[in-house]
Each structure stands twice: as C-alpha cells, then as structure tokens.
Amino acid sequence: MRWALLAFTLLLLPSIARAQIVNEESIQIGLSTDHVALTAGFSGADLTIFGSVENADPQVTRRGGYDVIVVLEGPSDALVVRRKQRVLGMWINTRSETFVNVPISYSVATTRQPQDITDPQSYKRLSLGADNIFLQPLNKHSGPVTIQEFTDALRERKKATSLYSTNYGGVQFLSQSLFRATLRLAPDVPVGTHRARAFLFKNGTFVSESSAQLEIRRSGFEQSIFDYAHQDSFTYGIFAVFLAMLTGWLGQLVFRKE
C-alpha cells in the first residue's frame, strides 16, 4: 500500500510543478504604434502604453497587491558634466567628468508612490528610476566623492530639462488585469530607438518584466535636411555657408540706409 501511495505521489509531482509554473504571474505590454513622428511644431506629448497582468491572483488583486512601473528609456550616449568656478571674477570650467552609455531620456510612470511599491534596495538592484540608473564614469580613477558629485549634477540637469521625468499614478488598472500607462515625451525628446519596459511587483516583490521598442524619428522637411546633412556633410556645409552669406547680403540690401 505504501509503495502504491508513493508511486501515485511521484506521478502527481510533474502535474503539480506544471500547475505552479502556469500560475506564475507575468506582465505583457503593447504599443498602439511602433513609431512616433516629430514635426517642426512638436512641443511634447503624452504616450499611452497598454498592458496586462497574466495569471493574476484574484485575492491579491482584490487587496491591491499588484503594482506596475513602466519606463521609456531613450538611446544612450556619452555625456560630459563640467564644474564651473569663479576665478578672477569670471566663471570658467575647472573640471569635468565623462559618463558613458547614459540614457538621453528616461520617463517613468507608476501605480503609486515609490515607497509604497517596494524597498529602495529593489530599485537599486533593478536600476529602476532616475535616481537609480547606473551611470558609469569614463575615468574610473576619480575618487568616489568626486564621482558622486558629478553623478548628482548629471541627474539634476536631466530633470531640469524634463528629459528625466516621473508620473506618479500614471499607471492605472482598467480591470483586474488590464492597465494603462501614460508617459511624457519632452519637447526635445531624442530621435532613435526607445525601449519601453514594464515591471510587475506583487506585495512589494519583483515578479516579472516585459519590454517593447518604440522608434522616434523626424518627419517632413526637417527629416530631409537631417538625412542630407549626414549623407553628404561636405556639400551641406558649403551650402550652409553660401546660404548664410546670401542671407546677410539680402539683409544689407533691405535695411541699408538711403
């Protein structure tokens, strides 16, 4: 009898394991468009991202135990941060630090205030949020105090230009599993491939992540000029100089005194 019970238990184990795997929560997001076109009059816009929590636990849902954070991260580039000091009555650059692979833009939307979702260690481990992005200095021999000073200055500059922004309450559940996130695109949002990422938390614990890509590009006459300047920079430079000289000459003719 014991052998039969043991054999029956062993047969049930794979089914139990599969059931546990199936019931694990996951998150999915979808973009209504895979590209955004920037025109000459672009002054910023709101981007809406829809998503769903798969295999959500009804009990956790009723208690409001699920939280979602959505991030739109722009293309990365090297950025230089300079320190200015007053020398002999003039403000001059006295020192600089270069950071590599810095997201040019970084927008965040959350269901609640960050402290109500998870602990600071989780944000740092996931490199989640403008204050937790890993910023790598090019010169690794600088002292930790100096690096921290320039890192803080870089974050503050990005926030001041609205390229780094956070929308608390910008993620709203439309049903038990469907949600909508609203992210802000700054007027000078960079052109290129942006990555949208969604993070699912259950009772303060990180559970799952999903991502999608968004292409932001110029459109119309501005895009034609941009492409021409990069494809034939020499001719474009000559044309720009000629146009400046022509404009100056015409201006002299129009405004010259009789």
Side-chain angles (χ1 to χ4, degrees), residues 239-249:
F239 175 76
V241 172
F242 172 77
L243 182 62
M245 294 175 62
L246 178 62
T247 303
W249 178 71

Side-chain angles (χ1 to χ4, degrees), residues 13-243:
L13 285 177
S15 300
I16 296 174
R18 285 195 298 269
Q20 291 176 342
I21 294 175
V22 169
N23 291 331
E24 287 183 354
E25 297 95 338
S26 62
I27 189 170
Q28 300 294 332
I29 57 173
L31 307 180
S32 57
T33 178
D34 58 357
H35 71 276
V36 173
L38 303 183
T39 60
F42 182 78
S43 59
D46 289 331
L47 175 68
T48 301
I49 298 175
F50 291 93
S52 65
V53 178
E54 305 293 334
N55 302 315
D57 187 333
Q59 294 183 356
V60 178
T61 301
R62 284 194 294 269
R63 295 196 304 267
Y66 288 116
D67 283 291
V68 174
I69 298 178
V70 178
V71 174
L72 183 66
E73 185 175 326
S76 299
D77 198 1
L79 294 180
V80 180
V81 181
R82 296 180 174 86
R83 176 198 290 163
K84 287 187 176 182
Q85 289 182 328
R86 195 176 182 87
V87 178
L88 299 177
M90 297 181 296
W91 288 99
I92 62 174
N93 297 323
T94 58
R95 185 166 182 175
S96 65
E97 287 286 342
T98 301
F99 294 87
V100 298
N101 297 324
V102 179
I104 301 177
S105 61
Y106 191 88
S107 301
V108 181
T110 67
T111 48
R112 296 185 291 173
Q113 293 290 326
Q115 65 271 18
D116 297 329
I117 296 177
T118 188
D119 55 88
Q121 290 75 21
S122 297
Y123 288 117
K124 188 165 295 186
R125 184 178 67 254
L126 295 168
S127 192
L128 181 55
D131 293 330
N132 299 292
I133 300 175
F134 176 68
L135 300 176
Q136 180 181 351
L138 182 63
N139 182 13
K140 299 181 180 179
H141 299 291
S142 300
V145 176
T146 301
I147 291 177
Q148 186 62 46
E149 177 185 351
F150 280 91
T151 300
D152 294 340
L154 175 57
R155 297 186 201 276
E156 290 301 321
R157 189 175 70 177
K158 285 291 188 179
K159 292 177 182 178
T161 58
S162 301
L163 286 172
Y164 282 20
S165 63
T166 303
N167 184 8
Y168 301 121
V171 179
Q172 298 179 342
F173 275 93
L174 306 177
S175 66
Q176 290 189 349
S177 59
L178 298 178
F179 63 86
R180 176 183 62 198
T182 303
L183 297 164
R184 184 64 182 171
L185 298 179
D188 51 347
V189 61
V191 174
T193 302
H194 295 240
R195 184 169 64 148
R197 305 169 65 192
F199 299 82
L200 175 64
F201 293 85
K202 175 183 177 182
N203 296 326
T205 302
F206 171 67
V207 175
S208 178
E209 176 187 352
S210 180
S211 64
Q213 286 190 343
L214 173 70
E215 191 74 21
I216 295 181
R217 55 177 179 256
R218 296 180 179 88
S219 65
F221 181 71
E222 293 81 7
Q223 181 62 38
S224 301
I225 295 296
F226 179 83
D227 292 339
Y228 179 66
H230 284 76
Q231 294 169 4
D232 194 349
S233 57
F234 180 75
T235 305
Y236 175 80
I238 294 177
F239 175 76
V241 172
F242 172 77
L243 182 62

